[in-house]
Amino acid sequence: MTERVEKLISREKIEKRVKELAKQLDSDYAGKEIYMLCVLKGGVNFMVDLSREMESMVYINFMKVSSYDKKTISSGSIKILMDLDESIADKDVLIVEDIVDSGRTLNHLKNLLLSRNPKSIKICTFLDKPARREVPIQVDYVGFVIPDGFVIGYGLDYDQKYRNLDYVGILSFEE
Ligand code: IMP
Ligand code: MG
């Protein structure tokens, strides 16, 4: 099977949209410090570029959660592979994620973080695939809404590959 990548969102479009989002965040969080919580590994490229465009006081931190399988779906929880190393109590937390698909990961993560008493918590995702949603979740900031299909690049992987692409592509397989 050969992997084929078809460009979906160009580097130029990504740069423009990231700048717009950074402006929006600066304005919405005016006078506040933003605690950006990046979900590893997919959210890294987006968080780095986004935070670099922002003028607000930004803190960054990371969490790693397991991608769920059928078993974790039925047990209704995600596994925290790497937790935060400090308290988020009283902080304005912005979760930065690569993509919202079923919504399960962010739904669980947000509920977990809410139990730690942040001042506020919002979600900023680079991509949103609403056609695949299984759990209703409020996504506060979205880079691009995309149709159903498996995408890679700009942080997103297939089998840990393609994360370094500076554009987003749709992956397909050929004999
Ligand atoms: P959710 O819990 O179904 O919303 O899944 C979210 C996670 O699945 C994302 O953070 C990604 O790591 C992964 N994922 C979902 N769709 C894609 C895709 O099209 N390409 C790469 N990873 C994806
Ligand atoms: Mg992810």
Side-chain angles (χ1 to χ4, degrees), residues 18-37:
V18 165
K19 281 188 182 146
E20 286 170 5
L21 280 174
K23 262 204 178 134
Q24 178 77 49
L25 287 166
D26 277 336
S27 145
D28 292 359
Y29 285 85
K32 294 179 182 169
E33 297 180 340
I34 308 181
Y35 191 92
M36 281 184 142
L37 200 174

Side-chain angles (χ1 to χ4, degrees), residues 68 97-99 101-105 129 149-151 156-157:
Y68 51 82
E97 173 66 300
D98 53 357
I99 186 166
D101 192 44
S102 71
R104 290 182 187 278
T105 306
K129 247 196 259 181
F150 197 83
V151 289
L156 293 121
D157 75 303

Side-chain angles (χ1 to χ4, degrees), residues 19-111:
K19 281 188 182 146
E20 286 170 5
L21 280 174
K23 262 204 178 134
Q24 178 77 49
L25 287 166
D26 277 336
S27 145
D28 292 359
Y29 285 85
K32 294 179 182 169
E33 297 180 340
I34 308 181
Y35 191 92
M36 281 184 142
L37 200 174
C38 174
V39 184
L40 292 171
K41 306 170 186 168
V44 167
N45 304 47
F46 181 43
M47 194 207 59
V48 168
D49 285 352
L50 187 62
S51 63
R52 204 152 38 183
E53 294 293 338
M54 288 169 63
E55 287 168 8
S56 311
M57 181 63 76
V58 171
Y59 293 83
I60 62 171
N61 215 332
F62 302 90
M63 269 179 95
K64 187 167 188 198
V65 300
S66 65
S67 31
Y68 51 82
D69 51 28
K70 292 263 152 52
K71 275 177 263 156
T72 48
I73 287 180
S74 55
S75 73
S77 62
I78 51 167
K79 208 166 162 191
I80 304 297
L81 300 178
M82 191 188 98
D83 206 339
L84 292 171
D85 51 6
E86 60 191 357
S87 163
I88 54 164
D90 270 334
K91 296 191 168 135
D92 289 304
V93 176
L94 182 68
I95 303 176
V96 182
E97 173 66 300
D98 53 357
I99 186 166
V100 186
D101 192 44
S102 71
R104 290 182 187 278
T105 306
L106 277 180
N107 184 49
H108 291 307
L109 185 60
K110 190 174 176 182
N111 286 336

